[in-house]
Amino acid sequence: MERRIGAFFVRHIAPLQARGLSNPALDKCLAAVGGWADIGVTLRWPASSAPLDAVEPARADARRLLPELFPA
């Protein structure tokens, strides 16, 4: 599981972090990916937010790589 989580982060979270997004932006993106909180991805100005179009591909990969975290 650790390798699969790492693969997910390398594919979807590390690129956002490399663009300079803050930890709160990454946290909100992960919450949106998992559907754990209906808070969106937008942070208050002047912070940069994760792009909304990053959520769906990350969600599909998360469900494929980590199905045990997304019970039916």
Side-chain angles (χ1 to χ4, degrees), residues 54-65:
V55 172
E56 282 304 320
R59 183 178 290 149
D61 251 7
R63 290 182 182 278
R64 184 180 58 78
L65 288 168

Side-chain angles (χ1 to χ4, degrees), residues 38-60:
D38 187 18
I39 58 173
V41 295
T42 305
L43 293 176
R44 297 179 79 179
W45 181 87
S48 297
S49 301
L52 189 56
D53 62 354
V55 172
E56 282 304 320
R59 183 178 290 149

